[in-house]
Amino acid sequence: MKTVKIGFVGCGAISGIYLKNITNRFKDIEIIGVCDLIRERAEKAVAEYRIPKLYNDMHELFADPEVDIVLNITRPYEHYDVTMAALRAGKNVYSEKPLAASLKEGREIRALAAEKGLMLGGAPDTFLGAGIQTCRKLIDDGVIGDVVGAAGFMICRGHESWHPDPEFYYKYGGGPMFDMGPYYLTALVNLCGCVESVSAMTNISFPKRTITSKPHCGEVIDVDVPTYYAGTMRFASGAIGTLFTTFDVFYPGQARLEVYGSEGTLMVPDPNTFGGPVKLYKPTDGGMQEIPLTFDYPENSRALGLADMAKALQTGRPWRANSDMTFHVLEIMEGFAESGRTHREVAIESRFDKTPLMNPDMPHGVLDV
């Protein structure tokens, strides 16, 4: 079976792990070409990974009949324009998170993909890694009993002290919920099922931010989006979840994700990672215990969701990191933002069915059929 050829739009910071993993890890996909608004980035990728084609722009990439799937790894507020242009050109698309910067944009993207009969998938794919897949199996097997609740916490002081270009984190499509929320929410809906309503309180704690990292040290950012979210979710199952994300707090850690059951509590790994540790607390077992990972891909395996989608393109089966999931997550995030503005509970209209578990018996780098 021939490999599925991937065309990159965007060669920024996150592209490095995609380039590495597609080249060295996943057997059914290969990079056919790349482009970037900063041409030097694309040239560097071509040279380092021996990529066959360097496109002048994304439209040249979309016109290439050899490209099977467009990988959109531009900045969040650019996702809509790039994905829509690729779909109009007849290309399947896999996008970095979030699907779009607004629910309206997400609906238009989904409608166009459906109209054209094209595949649409997206990040994050960390839920397919060994850590969260192990947690999912434990929940499915009833190890913690009936799920009654969940909680996630992403706490940090923002990006202006270390990121080379932090401004977009505080603009349209940014903020802690739209930046990091997809990791937590994707994990939660795959562990606990879909969400039917949300509420939240939000705030812009610091309307201006001073960059202290190079090369923009000293520049001041006007903050346009909430940077403090305290959200609650009602899952369709009846379970209640909370999600706290902020760029406003000094804190010694960053990630915490827990699922509460009638018979125990599951400590889920950082959803921005693929591995562990997975910890289980059950009074009947005498306290906390670490659970061995029972699935593959504990290391940074970004492009795993893309490889799974490529296998679906080859075989016709469904793919796991699909737009039902990415759109549901987008609607939850926008629901939090709307609730913060209007001070009311917001219904979530979309639904998402948990995708099948990964097959732990497949050779590493090869996805199941």
Side-chain angles (χ1 to χ4, degrees):
M1 189 178 294
K2 70 175 186 176
T3 57
V4 174
K5 294 178 172 57
I6 311 300
F8 273 60
V9 179
C11 296
I14 193 64
S15 69
I17 191 64
Y18 279 99
L19 291 162
K20 179 181 178 181
N21 285 342
I22 295 173
T23 302
N24 300 312
R25 187 185 304 279
F26 298 111
K27 308 299 191 292
D28 295 319
I29 53 178
E30 65 174 307
I31 306 165
I32 186 64
V34 298
C35 68
D36 193 282
L37 289 173
I38 302 174
R39 188 177 177 86
E40 291 78 10
R41 290 178 179 173
E43 290 173 343
K44 181 181 177 182
V46 166
E48 185 172 352
Y49 292 95
R50 299 181 181 179
I51 296 169
K53 300 181 182 183
L54 172 62
Y55 304 103
N56 291 313
D57 56 35
M58 67 180 186
H59 299 290
E60 184 178 343
L61 184 156
F62 301 155
D64 185 351
E66 286 198 90
V67 173
D68 296 310
I69 299 175
V70 170
L71 175 59
N72 179 0
I73 44 179
T74 57
R75 288 174 290 193
Y77 64 82
E78 298 168 325
H79 288 176
Y80 172 81
D81 288 337
V82 174
T83 296
M84 289 292 281
L87 292 170
R88 290 189 189 106
K91 297 299 185 185
N92 303 299
V93 179
Y94 185 95
S95 176
E96 250 302 325
K97 51 81 185 170
L99 170 64
S102 73
L103 194 59
K104 177 178 180 295
E105 291 179 352
R107 284 197 180 99
E108 292 179 14
I109 289 171
R110 291 244 296 169
L112 183 58
E115 175 188 324
K116 289 186 165 288
L118 294 167
M119 300 175 73
L120 179 63
D125 54 2
T126 46
F127 77 100
L128 298 175
I132 294 173
Q133 288 288 296
T134 297
C135 292
R136 166 72 182 279
K137 184 70 162 56
L138 291 169
I139 291 170
D140 288 356
D141 288 348
V143 172
I144 62 170
D146 296 327
V147 173
V148 299
F153 306 87
M154 196 298 296
I155 308 171
C156 73
R157 191 56 174 82
H159 296 63
E160 62 271 24
S161 66
W162 60 270
H163 196 282
D165 187 22
E167 185 173 14
F168 75 91
Y169 286 102
Y170 301 99
K171 299 297 183 180
Y172 176 65
M177 184 59 71
F178 279 75
D179 177 45
M180 293 300 294
Y183 295 107
Y184 290 78
L185 291 169
T186 297
L188 285 170
V189 299
N190 277 281
L191 295 174
C192 304
C194 68
V195 171
E196 63 179 22
S197 67
V198 301
S199 60
M201 291 187 180
T202 64
N203 195 26
I204 299 176
S205 302
F206 308 104
K208 293 185 182 292
R209 302 264 185 156
T210 300
I211 301 174
T212 57
S213 59
K214 295 180 180 181
H216 298 285
C217 186
E219 295 179 18
V220 176
I221 302 169
D222 291 319
V223 180
D224 297 340
V225 294
T227 51
Y228 196 108
Y229 282 81
T232 58
M233 299 160 281
R234 186 181 303 277
F235 292 91
S237 66
I240 302 295
T242 63
L243 181 59
F244 174 43
T245 66
T246 183
F247 285 165
D248 298 341
V249 174
F250 292 107
Y251 197 71
Q254 187 186 66
R256 197 160 93 241
L257 188 60
E258 302 165 351
V259 178
Y260 311 124
S262 58
E263 298 177 19
T265 293
L266 195 58
M267 310 298 184
V268 182
D270 180 346
N272 192 19
T273 67
F274 288 79
V278 173
K279 295 182 179 180
L280 174 66
Y281 175 75
K282 294 184 72 172
T284 55
D285 293 340
M288 188 82 73
Q289 58 178 316
E290 185 164 334
I291 304 298
L293 302 182
T294 53
F295 289 80
D296 196 2
Y297 304 104
E299 63 288 296
N300 189 339
S301 299
R302 277 181 170 81
L304 177 55
L306 174 62
D308 180 72
M309 180 170 149
K311 179 63 76 171
L313 180 62
Q314 291 175 325
T315 64
R317 68 156 169 82
W319 60 104
R320 293 174 172 90
N322 57 56
S323 66
D324 287 346
M325 179 189 78
T326 57
F327 183 80
H328 189 59
V329 167
L330 177 62
E331 187 178 5
I332 295 168
M333 294 191 299
E334 183 143 313
F336 283 140
E338 182 182 345
S339 178
R341 290 191 299 268
T342 63
H343 301 176
R344 65 180 181 84
E345 188 170 350
V346 176
I348 302 299
E349 297 178 358
S350 64
R351 290 295 178 263
F352 165 69
D353 294 325
K354 291 192 281 188
T355 55
L357 285 165
M358 297 288 283
N359 183 344
D361 299 323
M362 297 297 294
H364 188 75
V366 177
L367 278 294
D368 55 305
V369 296

